[in-house]
Amino acid sequence: MSIDPAATGVRSTDEIMIRSTDETVYNKNARLRVRPFWPWHAVMAYTPDKPALHWLNSHSWLVLELCEQATCADIAKAIAELLPDKAEQASEMTRSCLSDLEQKGLIDVTTRSVKSEPKKSVPERE
């Protein structure tokens, strides 16, 4: 059986075209000021761009600290590894927390383009 490369979008029978997709990444706001408050296992965050103080619990603080060019999946995976008893809820808790942190101006949300590597096609059979 022979495959027509033009019909499949394949440049040659040996290489599949590189595809790119965008993914959302999270970063801590560069102007954010954070002060831990150890007796409560919490942190106080100050946003100078929109002057306000925000109290973060230990989970929100952890998510904030993991926001270094990280995707939601990266952060949820790290939380699941650190807190195995919360592994099942990690993804939903992370999404909710990221939404809250973004709304408060504590994190910046950007997208980056990700290119997948070319893959070898399956050899043709006759």
Side-chain angles (χ1 to χ4, degrees):
M1 177 177 157
S2 179
I3 299 173
D4 177 18
T8 61
V10 175
R11 285 194 250 178
S12 73
T13 55
D14 294 331
E15 183 181 336
I16 294 178
M17 295 171 63
I18 297 174
R19 297 181 184 167
S20 67
T21 58
D22 290 338
E23 66 181 2
T24 303
V25 293
Y26 300 90
N27 289 295
K28 193 177 350 176
N29 180 335
R31 293 181 33 86
L32 183 66
R33 300 294 175 254
V34 178
R35 296 291 178 260
F37 190 70
W38 297 111
W40 290 359
H41 302 283
V43 68
M44 184 175 50
Y46 173 70
T47 51
D49 297 330
K50 295 184 209 174
L53 289 173
H54 306 278
W55 282 101
L56 303 179
N57 63 20
S58 56
H59 181 263
S60 297
W61 184 8
L62 175 60
V63 172
L64 178 68
E65 292 301 322
L66 292 171
C67 288
E68 294 181 3
Q69 285 291 330
T71 64
C72 182
D74 296 335
I75 296 167
K77 181 180 176 189
I79 290 172
E81 289 173 1
L82 291 168
L83 306 169
D85 58 321
K86 302 284 186 189
E88 289 183 18
Q89 302 104 347
S91 184
E92 180 56 38
M93 289 170 55
T94 301
R95 270 194 296 278
S96 174
C97 187
L98 286 169
S99 175
D100 186 51
L101 293 174
E102 179 185 8
Q103 189 175 41
K104 291 176 179 174
L106 304 177
I107 59 173
D108 297 318
V109 181
T110 58
T111 57
R112 67 178 172 206
S113 185
V114 178
K115 293 184 180 179
S116 59
E117 295 294 321
K119 298 179 182 178
K120 298 290 180 180
S121 61
V122 177
E124 294 181 17
R125 296 183 185 184
E126 293 186 31

